[in-house]
Amino acid sequence: ANSLVTASFQVSGTIVNVPVEMGSYVRKGTLLATVDGTVYQNQYKAQKAQADLAKENYQRILKVFEKGSIAEIKMLDAKSKYEQADAVAKATYQNLVHLNVYAPIDGYISNKMVQAGDLAAPGKPVVQIQDISKVKAVIPIPDDEINTIKEGDTTTIKVPALNQATYTGTVNEIAIAANQGTPIYTAKVS
């Protein structure tokens, strides 16, 4: 594949929806999976309520401070508590934003690693997507021929699995070291 991307969640929870199947084509932005957001929604509501209360408290104390009836330290303490509560609420809101995983590229679902009911974890693979609009062939090159090949060279590739179909490609990567234990190098042809 031209590129292979493994999509994963940034939050944990029970997966409630995986609307794609192996082999299906998806466009960038297509919904791949969803985690149940009930816990995150309740956390956000609670933290947002605390932030709103802290803001209201800060605004009242600020008015009293501006009249000269309260020490500056009390006003700064209220301001700090409001800013902290607001930051926690905003951080929790990010969990809500990441309840869904979307396709980062156009391509085919080449592997589906989860089902509805599975437990998601941050970084745990959900699906793999392959972009095969262009493909690469990995070609073994004997050590006595490796110096005759340069990036940018064009070549013809015959694919036995496709009834000996031939394709023209361009060398775009050449290994600088032989494969471990063999005198064979590899080159990639797009």
Side-chain angles (χ1 to χ4, degrees):
N2 186 42
S3 61
L4 172 68
V5 176
T6 302
S8 61
F9 282 104
Q10 293 185 27
V11 297
S12 59
T14 302
I15 298 171
V16 294
N17 185 23
V18 187
V20 295
E21 296 299 328
M22 277 187 26
S24 61
Y25 182 79
V26 294
R27 294 220 174 265
K28 181 178 181 177
T30 300
L31 177 67
L32 302 175
T34 303
V35 163
D36 179 12
T38 306
V39 171
Y40 295 114
Q41 290 166 348
N42 290 336
Q43 285 176 342
Y44 175 68
K45 284 178 187 175
Q47 290 172 345
K48 179 73 169 116
Q50 288 177 346
D52 291 346
L53 180 61
K55 179 179 181 181
E56 187 176 316
N57 186 45
Y58 165 62
Q59 289 172 339
R60 287 182 183 176
I61 289 175
L62 180 62
K63 287 179 184 176
V64 174
F65 169 73
E66 289 171 346
K67 292 179 182 177
S69 301
I70 196 170
E72 182 179 14
I73 191 71
K74 293 278 189 185
M75 184 273 302
L76 292 174
D77 183 53
K79 180 180 179 185
S80 174
K81 287 179 181 175
Y82 162 58
E83 289 173 348
Q84 289 174 21
D86 190 52
V88 169
K90 286 177 180 175
T92 302
Y93 179 77
Q94 288 305 306
N95 291 332
L96 294 174
V97 172
H98 297 295
L99 292 175
N100 297 315
V101 175
Y102 298 97
I105 63 170
D106 293 351
Y108 290 91
I109 304 295
S110 61
N111 197 358
K112 180 178 172 182
M113 292 85 130
V114 298
Q115 298 294 327
D118 287 347
L119 186 62
K124 178 182 175 185
V126 174
V127 299
Q128 286 183 322
I129 303 170
Q130 290 188 5
D131 172 9
I132 58 172
S133 58
K134 287 185 179 180
V135 293
K136 295 178 184 176
V138 179
I139 310 297
I141 310 290
D143 63 351
D144 60 342
E145 294 180 26
I146 194 65
N147 289 329
T148 65
I149 298 171
K150 297 182 293 302
E151 283 188 35
D153 286 353
T154 52
T155 185
T156 302
I157 296 176
K158 188 181 292 186
V159 183
L162 297 175
N163 296 325
Q164 301 295 332
T166 58
Y167 298 92
T168 302
T170 304
V171 175
N172 61 0
E173 289 182 44
I174 302 171
I176 60 170
N179 294 340
Q180 190 172 10
T182 68
I184 303 294
Y185 292 76
T186 56
K188 290 186 181 178
V189 178
S190 292

